[in-house]
Amino acid sequence: QKEVEQNSGPLSVPEGAIASLNCTYSDRGSQSFFWYRQYSGKSPELIMSIYSNGDKEDGRFTAQLNKASQYVSLLIRDSQPSDSATYLCAAGADRGSTLGRLYFGRGTQLTVWP
Amino acid sequence: EAGVAQSPRYKIIEKRQSVAFWCNPISGHATLYWYQQILGQGPKLLIQFQNNGVVDDSQLPKDRFSAERLKGVDSTLKIQPAKLEDSAVYLCASSQWTGSNQPQHFGDGTRLSIL
């Protein structure tokens, strides 16, 4: 059973701080990774995708991938109260009969306080 | 572009009753997914369609769950009979095609409560 583990949280940071969210995955064959943001009662919203080792930046968000360590992270700089949500890490099943399937972690709940 | 449409938004039924959910993916998206999200957990894939064919239904409880995508566009997911443990949010997602780097876009989901 392929697994994605996230730091359980909840994570609470002050406004303006850096929030760091971490994720590990079990399937060494995974090549695609995604971070989704989910507000309470809402559907997951894609915020970042990463496929290569290293960092990928998009505005205040930076995703980091280390395939050797099977580790993915999301940094949110200058955190805002509007960033308060649950963040879901997902790893893609990138071969065979499960191609295209995403394996999700349980999510990390982030609260940014003013 | 219009997003993934789902209905109904909420449904309350008693155990052993049946229920159906509907999904219309983003226009042009060939791949459609149904997920179950239990409170406090991440989404779990139930079934994946490529056009009107099933790609992966290995995690679908086939004794009570069924799904179809007859014309390769919209899809329905049915539960019959429902059990208490089926209380969850049922999410539909779509992507342009089935591939390792294809991001999936989610609808607003149907929140199902079983009494």
Side-chain angles (χ1 to χ4, degrees):
Chain A
Q1 177 71 14
K2 298 177 176 61
E3 293 184 350
V4 174
E5 300 286 342
Q6 296 186 240
N7 47 341
S8 56
L11 178 64
S12 181
V13 301
E15 185 174 357
I18 295 175
S20 177
L21 306 164
N22 304 314
C23 171
T24 59
Y25 59 94
S26 64
D27 182 10
R28 283 197 170 275
S30 289
Q31 300 294 320
S32 55
F33 305 89
F34 305 90
W35 283 99
Y36 285 82
R37 177 177 61 199
Q38 187 171 29
Y39 293 113
S40 181
K42 300 293 186 182
S43 63
E45 174 193 8
L46 180 67
I47 55 172
M48 288 288 284
S49 59
I50 187 166
Y51 312 110
S52 304
N53 277 331
D55 295 357
K56 179 182 178 182
E57 187 174 316
D58 184 359
R60 297 186 295 111
F61 299 97
T62 299
Q64 300 173 317
L65 173 60
N66 183 324
K67 292 182 181 179
S69 300
Q70 295 177 243
Y71 177 87
V72 190
S73 67
L74 180 70
L75 300 178
I76 306 175
R77 291 183 301 281
D78 187 24
S79 295
Q80 301 296 310
S82 58
D83 295 326
S84 298
T86 296
Y87 289 79
L88 297 166
C89 173
D94 295 326
R95 56 189 174 187
S97 61
T98 58
L99 180 67
R101 180 194 288 190
L102 290 182
Y103 294 91
F104 284 87
R106 286 177 167 264
T108 299
Q109 186 177 340
L110 171 66
T111 299
V112 181
W113 44 276
Chain B
E1 69 181 358
V4 176
Q6 288 189 249
S7 66
R9 288 297 314 278
Y10 305 93
K11 192 72 177 178
I12 301 174
I13 62 172
E14 294 184 346
K15 60 183 179 182
R16 291 187 291 273
Q17 287 187 324
S18 63
V19 64
F21 314 125
W22 175 83
C23 172
N24 190 266
I26 293 172
S27 179
H29 280 198
T31 308
L32 185 147
Y33 311 81
W34 283 102
Y35 287 88
Q36 180 192 58
Q37 187 174 22
I38 293 172
L39 187 64
Q41 298 183 18
K44 184 187 85 170
L45 181 72
L46 293 174
I47 189 167
Q48 176 182 341
F49 291 95
Q50 173 78 8
N51 297 311
N52 61 350
V54 175
V55 173
D56 182 0
D57 64 356
S58 58
Q59 298 192 100
L60 186 73
K62 298 181 186 64
D63 58 334
R64 297 183 300 106
F65 286 66
S66 64
E68 60 183 14
R69 194 184 183 200
L70 292 176
K71 297 182 179 179
V73 181
D74 56 352
S75 175
T76 55
L77 175 70
K78 296 179 182 178
I79 307 175
Q80 182 179 13
K83 291 185 174 181
L84 291 175
E85 60 260 35
D86 298 332
S87 293
V89 176
Y90 290 85
L91 295 164
C92 180
S94 70
S95 62
Q96 282 193 304
W97 59 79
T98 298
S100 62
N101 62 347
Q102 286 301 302
Q104 298 178 21
H105 302 273
F106 286 83
D108 286 337
T110 296
R111 187 175 300 274
L112 176 65
S113 297
I114 311 294
L115 304 178

